[in-house]
Amino acid sequence: MAVLPAAAVPNEADRVIGVAAIDPDQATGPAGSDEWFARQRLFPDPTVDLAGNLSRAQRQAKTLQTGHSRASIQAAAAWQSLGPGLGGRVSDLAPDPTRANTIYAAAASGGLWKSTDGGVSFSYSWGPDLPQGVGAVAVAANGTIYVGTGEGNPGSASYSFPGNGVYKSTDGGTTWAAMGLAGTDRIGRIAIDPNNSNRVFVAAAGKLYQPGGERGLYRTEDGGTTWTQILAGANTTTGAIDVSLGDSNTVYAAMWDHTRTPAGRVYGGVGSGIHKSTDGGATWTRLAGGLPASSSNLGRMGVAVAKSDPNRLYAIAANTPGNFLGFWTSTNKGASWTQITSTSALSSSQSTFGWWFGRIFVDPLAAQHIWVPGVPMLESSNAGGSWTSNSSSFHVDQHAVAFDPSVANKVYIGNDGGIYRSTQNGSLSGSWTKSTNLANMQFYSVGVSQQDPTRINGGLQDNGSVRSWAGWGSYNGGDGLANVIDPTNHLKVYACSQNGVCNRSTNGGNSMSAFGAATSDRWNWFSPVVLDPSNPAIVYFAGNRVNRSTNSAAGFSVISPNLTVTTWGTVSAIGVAKSNPAVIYAGTDDGKLWVTRNTGSTWTDITAGLPSRYMTRVTVDPTDANLAYITVSGYRNGTSAAQVFRTTNGGTSYTAISGNLPDAPVNDIVLDPQNRNVLYVGTDVGAFTSTNGGANWSPVGTGMPLVPVTDLETSVSSNQTVLTAATYGLGIYQIRPTSTPSNDFSIAASPASATVNPGVSATTTVSTAVVSGTAESVAFSASGLPSGATAAFSPTSVTAGASSTATITTSASTPAGTYPITITGSAASATRSTTFTLTVASVGGCANTNGTDVAIPDNTTVTSTIVMSGCSGNASSTSKAEVHILHTYIGDLVVSLVAPDGTAYVLHNRTGSGTDNIHQTYTVNLSSEVRNGTWTLRVQDAASQDIGTIDTWTLTL
């Protein structure tokens, strides 16, 4: 029996946490998404009131929208939501007891979503000008919906946006009314008296970055008209995070003492604990009887009451760093508690960030049947005596469980990857189905083809890098950060995960290879990747130093010294002049701006005249290397400081051009490709445009909620400018801002690839969808076919919105190889294309592909099989196994190919250290093996705290 070496320690960059948190002077870039977001908005003033400033900016944006004349609003083009409906982070779920098959989902930064078909699909059901960060939702017995804005989960793996109180709807989510508690910032839970729909309890966590303010447990007796704080925290950093009702007068509340700065977090303290009231909240007792005593090491706690047996309670706790502390149950309404014996499944489920979960859900009909969210979901049918764990049937990082009141045994869960439903009473051993059309995706970036604006890639929080031309499937793992498409060849794409781990592809992402080695002391969470606009084979890539490649990122040379002034600083923005490629601007996250006029031989500090803020973007006029636009993050906080600047002399001086923009962080600025005097910016409260050099700004189009716009890209189609926006909470939006959208459509092929032997056919479904305008007839054709191959479509044309089946038939003489076939749809107004990759196996060989995803949980061995039939003889001595595994730490993996006779051939044996993902073709001598039979790809994960997926693999014998 082989003995594996000791498990390596994964680089959990987005999970790092400590009691004193992150030293701001350590030599590192941001340790996670929340630090990256927070540093932008709080540098250099950590005392800024994020929630108050965001609310003011949202009001300013709304005023700009409503301030336009009715005529201009009617004439404005409308944004089109492109999804994708993959499902992002869901913070809470609530079924409607008065409307069958109706359930509401709270999106972390994408408002409220509603399903009326039992969770099959969801639609946006929130006010577009309301805070998009939602932490809690509950539905009263009379169907009234209460929503708490501001996500209670405090962030690390992802930034969580604050809110401005409670909202209420009495018409199923069609309209919403503000109901107060505007200063609560973040709401963790809402509980409604089942006997009185006007009696509501709200657990307000309070401001994350400042002490004091509205925090604690609040109650209304009149449906939200007035509120009373019925339980205050023990100190100014303690708020309420969970609340559960035993009956109308018996209330349990979990209080949480925690605080955050841009550079650190303390997620526990003496104020944490569970409290009980037996008089509806008039008086309270902190529960003991076996629960943890007040301590600086007591972190987030959760509490739940069994509806079918109000004597039965459950509690969970993490310590201040975020490690699992304990799980308890009570059978006497909390008078005494029994600590459940911890198992590895229970304790490891919370990983090292138990403050990301902290909730318990009890079957309303069975008091001992419980679920505990964690990285996996845990289930127990005996009150915690034993546990079932599952992280393979659905996305990781669980947050919510809901029970359908009108359909027996139907249970929903919400996690960082959307919503899943069970018809087997939530059994983790049963089957789960994922909901669709949940477009609450958190995009960091977007890339757009200059030949086809429907061909889009982008980077997603916690969901990898995705591409529209392959059904929005993930093609690069980790958190998806910078995504770029070569403007001259949209098959050449770039995709990064966190902290500068980047890959490149020349076939549209079907296979990826790592960037060449680059020089930097540290990397940003979002490390910039920028193509030279005059020669896209030149790639700029930066940590705290700028690197340059002349061969499409295959290799890099460092062209700058350290451009930062702090020991944590990195380059956050790069702008290259199209009119003079030797001129390169570089902005940093610690407030510096530099320029080189000789491709990096010397650099000049041109910061004077700019504020000391996080530099988010530098955009250079395509005709003038001295004309550049700079955007910074942060809030003006009542001052006259600007967030958008222009220089006409290469940085000698600057003009503030924020004009009447809302006082919100500006994340990007782009120029209209057909009129460089038209500017577009993306901010935390939407997208805005100026046609007079920044003196005045107005909203871009209509139809986009006030959601953070993190990235903008432009393109031209049918002589119209196309503006594409990446939003952090509502996916991708697209608009033709200058006129009424022309007819346009998208095209995609599924599956996007196939492997066949010579003389064999492959089929794929070519689907179309209307992007704008009206549906037109679309005719299909194919190019790039290998010799001897033909393509046929059935039907040969469709009306946009319909599908066709493409059959690619090879001949016996078709040469072996991999061929990217372009499938084109042609309509009167537009021509769109997608890529189908055909692999023809070697002559005399035998090939097959398994494209079904297989999850790889921690410390587990999983398998994927391919059945070879119709082959003859033994395999080749140069057989090929092409393997694509998405995994955050491949140094944990042992990958073997197992022949039909049981012989194992090791392909990958725990090498690669902290590298993300395996995209490799292995040559294996299989001459002693017969071709026919079942071949198995066996993957063993030999360490904890990292997971992955077998994406696809192809065997050619």
Side-chain angles (χ1 to χ4, degrees):
M1 175 179 177
V3 178
L4 292 172
V9 178
N11 177 22
E12 287 281 307
D14 60 334
R15 310 286 198 196
V16 175
I17 180 75
V19 175
I22 302 156
D23 181 352
D25 293 324
Q26 66 182 358
T28 182
S33 170
D34 72 323
E35 187 182 335
W36 177 71
F37 262 105
R39 185 173 287 171
Q40 292 179 55
R41 287 150 183 81
L42 294 174
F43 175 78
D45 181 7
T47 66
V48 168
D49 179 2
L50 285 179
N53 278 278
L54 179 59
S55 291
R56 184 174 63 251
Q58 289 166 341
R59 292 193 299 270
Q60 293 167 344
K62 183 178 179 180
T63 298
L64 271 180
Q65 289 181 339
T66 58
H68 283 60
S69 69
R70 182 177 300 276
S72 64
I73 292 173
Q74 290 174 342
W79 287 95
Q80 304 291 318
S81 172
L82 303 186
L86 304 174
R89 186 163 79 252
V90 170
S91 53
D92 205 4
L93 292 167
D96 191 326
T98 66
R99 301 174 177 92
N101 296 314
T102 300
I103 185 169
Y104 299 92
S109 58
L112 191 77
W113 291 72
K114 177 181 180 180
S115 173
T116 58
D117 56 12
V120 175
S121 62
F122 281 80
S123 60
Y124 185 72
S125 187
W126 189 234
D129 56 357
L130 301 182
Q132 299 301 308
V134 177
V137 58
V139 185
N142 66 358
T144 299
I145 311 163
Y146 291 88
V147 167
T149 60
E151 188 182 4
N153 302 317
S156 177
S158 175
Y159 186 75
S160 56
F161 276 89
N164 65 356
V166 175
Y167 289 80
K168 171 182 174 179
S169 175
T170 57
D171 55 12
T174 301
T175 60
W176 294 92
M179 302 308 297
L181 298 182
T184 52
D185 207 80
R186 297 165 188 273
I187 293 175
R189 198 77 177 265
I190 297 175
I192 305 174
D193 187 334
N195 301 313
N196 182 354
S197 295
N198 288 321
R199 193 164 185 261
V200 183
F201 299 84
V202 170
K207 297 182 185 299
L208 182 58
Y209 291 87
Q210 292 88 26
E214 293 183 357
R215 62 178 74 219
L217 189 68
Y218 291 82
R219 182 190 66 210
T220 180
E221 304 277 3
D222 52 19
T225 302
T226 59
W227 295 89
T228 302
Q229 185 193 54
I230 57 174
L231 180 60
N235 52 37
T236 59
T237 54
T238 298
I241 192 63
D242 202 1
V243 58
S244 187
L245 304 183
D247 54 45
S248 295
N249 289 314
T250 306
V251 187
Y252 301 89
M255 304 295 283
W256 187 17
D257 188 350
H258 66 300
T259 189
R260 181 78 167 92
T261 71
R265 58 187 79 94
V266 181
Y267 284 168
V270 296
S272 299
I274 294 176
H275 299 252
K276 176 184 179 180
S277 173
T278 58
D279 51 16
T283 60
W284 291 86
T285 302
R286 179 190 168 101
L287 295 181
L291 291 179
S294 173
S295 164
S296 62
N297 194 40
L298 181 56
R300 180 172 178 173
M301 299 189 74
V303 62
V305 184
K307 287 185 178 181
S308 61
D309 178 9
N311 292 307
R312 169 76 70 170
L313 276 73
Y314 299 93
I316 191 170
N319 63 13
T320 294
N323 300 305
F324 174 77
L325 189 62
F327 189 88
W328 297 264
T329 186
S330 171
T331 57
N332 54 15
K333 297 186 177 181
S336 62
W337 296 79
T338 300
Q339 185 167 1
I340 300 300
T341 301
S342 180
T343 65
S344 59
L346 177 60
S347 60
S348 67
S349 73
Q350 308 299 292
S351 189
T352 57
F353 42 98
W355 35 261
W356 194 234
F357 311 112
R359 298 181 73 173
I360 306 160
F361 297 88
V362 187
D363 188 328
L365 302 178
Q368 295 193 38
H369 189 196
I370 57 177
W371 291 262
V372 174
V375 177
M377 183 66 80
L378 294 186
E379 178 190 17
S380 176
S381 58
N382 54 10
S386 58
W387 299 93
T388 299
S389 175
N390 190 335
S391 61
S392 60
S393 296
F394 30 73
H395 198 283
V396 296
D397 289 356
Q398 319 304 319
H399 298 294
V401 179
F403 310 90
D404 195 315
S406 58
V407 181
N409 298 318
K410 192 168 188 178
V411 178
Y412 305 87
I413 65 170
N415 55 37
D416 278 8
I419 298 170
Y420 300 74
R421 63 190 186 278
S422 161
T423 57
Q424 299 166 296
N425 203 29
S427 169
L428 295 187
S429 301
S431 60
W432 291 82
T433 304
K434 186 172 183 176
S435 299
T436 59
N437 295 336
L438 184 62
N440 65 323
M441 310 306 296
Q442 297 171 318
F443 274 91
Y444 291 109
S445 65
V446 65
V448 180
S449 165
Q450 295 302 306
Q451 293 78 48
D452 178 358
T454 68
R455 192 177 176 97
I456 297 167
N457 64 353
L460 282 168
Q461 165 60 39
D462 212 27
N463 285 276
S465 295
V466 295
R467 47 185 179 155
S468 67
W469 59 91
W472 289 108
S474 175
Y475 71 105
N476 199 64
D479 288 284
L481 279 307
N483 270 241
V484 180
I485 298 177
D486 188 309
T488 62
N489 176 7
H490 61 207
L491 292 178
K492 187 180 287 187
V493 299
Y494 303 86
C496 299
S497 57
Q498 56 266 45
N499 303 109
V501 179
C502 299
N503 291 288
R504 57 199 174 90
S505 173
T506 58
N507 56 17
N510 291 341
S511 60
M512 306 289 289
S513 56
F515 274 22
T519 300
S520 183
D521 304 308
R522 50 193 173 268
W523 298 92
N524 200 307
W525 173 260
F526 189 123
S527 297
V529 176
V530 174
L531 308 186
D532 186 321
S534 58
N535 180 3
I538 297 175
V539 181
Y540 292 93
F541 178 44
N544 66 316
R545 306 170 190 269
V546 178
N547 289 258
R548 182 175 187 264
S549 170
T550 58
N551 54 10
S552 301
F556 286 92
S557 299
V558 64
I559 63 166
S560 84
N562 173 24
L563 296 180
T564 66
V565 292
T566 62
T567 55
W568 49 261
T570 59
V571 173
S572 51
I574 300 172
V576 184
K578 185 174 184 178
S579 60
N580 182 357
V583 177
I584 306 159
Y585 296 83
T588 73
D589 59 5
D590 56 4
K592 302 297 288 185
L593 184 64
W594 301 79
V595 67
T596 176
R597 304 185 187 283
N598 50 20
T599 322
S601 295
T602 58
W603 290 82
T604 302
D605 183 346
I606 56 171
T607 310
L610 291 173
S612 178
R613 302 254 191 96
Y614 193 116
M615 303 288 172
T616 54
R617 203 60 51 105
V618 180
T619 297
V620 187
D621 184 283
T623 65
D624 184 352
N626 288 318
L627 175 54
Y629 299 87
I630 300 94
T631 60
V632 299
S633 192
Y635 289 92
R636 286 179 285 190
N637 212 27
T639 73
S640 59
Q643 286 135 323
V644 185
F645 298 85
R646 179 181 63 232
T647 179
T648 59
N649 49 24
T652 300
S653 62
Y654 299 92
T655 302
I657 61 169
S658 292
N660 60 331
L661 272 177
D663 177 15
V666 178
N667 305 312
D668 193 9
I669 183 167
V670 295
L671 311 184
D672 191 300
Q674 300 191 104
N675 183 351
R676 64 190 184 90
N677 295 312
V678 177
L679 313 177
Y680 304 103
V681 295
T683 78
D684 273 10
V685 290
F688 300 87
T689 183
S690 175
T691 59
N692 58 7
N696 300 99
W697 296 85
S698 59
V700 179
T702 62
M704 181 194 288
L706 297 184
V707 64
V709 173
T710 50
D711 196 15
L712 292 170
E713 291 292 331
T714 61
S715 54
V716 177
S717 176
S718 302
N719 296 318
Q720 288 184 308
T721 294
V722 179
L723 183 66
T724 305
T727 76
Y728 195 79
L730 288 172
I732 300 295
Y733 280 77
Q734 199 170 76
I735 193 173
R736 287 167 170 79
T738 55
S739 62
T740 303
S742 63
N743 300 330
D744 199 2
F745 66 95
S746 62
I747 184 173
S750 180
S753 62
T755 300
V756 298
N757 291 323
V760 178
S761 298
T763 61
T764 184
T765 299
V766 182
S767 58
T768 64
V770 177
V771 171
S772 62
T774 59
E776 294 184 294
S777 177
V778 179
F780 298 106
S781 61
S783 59
L785 296 165
S787 174
T790 60
F793 297 88
S794 180
T796 57
S797 64
V798 300
T799 300
S803 300
S804 174
T805 299
T807 302
I808 312 297
T809 303
T810 64
S811 68
S813 61
T814 297
T818 298
Y819 304 93
I821 297 172
T822 300
I823 297 176
T824 300
S826 300
S829 300
T831 299
R832 302 288 172 245
S833 64
T834 188
T835 302
F836 176 76
T837 301
L838 179 70
T839 299
V840 181
S842 301
V843 176
C846 188
N848 202 352
T849 297
N850 189 329
T852 301
D853 288 357
V854 177
I856 309 171
D858 284 333
N859 294 308
T860 304
T861 299
V862 299
T863 59
S864 176
T865 60
I866 287 176
V867 176
M868 295 292 195
S869 60
C871 306
S872 60
N874 283 12
S876 167
S877 60
T878 57
S879 296
K880 309 289 185 184
E882 181 182 347
V883 179
H884 298 281
I885 294 175
L886 305 180
H887 200 276
T888 55
Y889 194 89
I890 65 173
D892 290 345
L893 299 183
V894 179
V895 183
S896 302
L897 176 67
V898 183
D901 66 359
T903 303
Y905 299 83
V906 176
L907 307 179
H908 172 93
N909 192 5
R910 305 195 73 192
T911 60
S913 187
T915 306
D916 279 352
N917 308 326
I918 295 174
H919 298 291
Q920 188 168 338
T921 299
Y922 301 91
T923 300
V924 191
N925 184 352
L926 301 176
S927 57
S928 62
E929 305 288 345
V930 296
R931 289 189 170 101
N932 283 341
T934 299
W935 293 79
T936 301
L937 187 72
R938 184 175 67 201
V939 180
Q940 180 180 6
D941 184 309
S944 62
Q945 297 186 353
D946 58 301
I947 60 172
T949 303
I950 301 176
D951 188 26
T952 183
W953 69 289
T954 298
L955 186 60
T956 305
L957 302 176

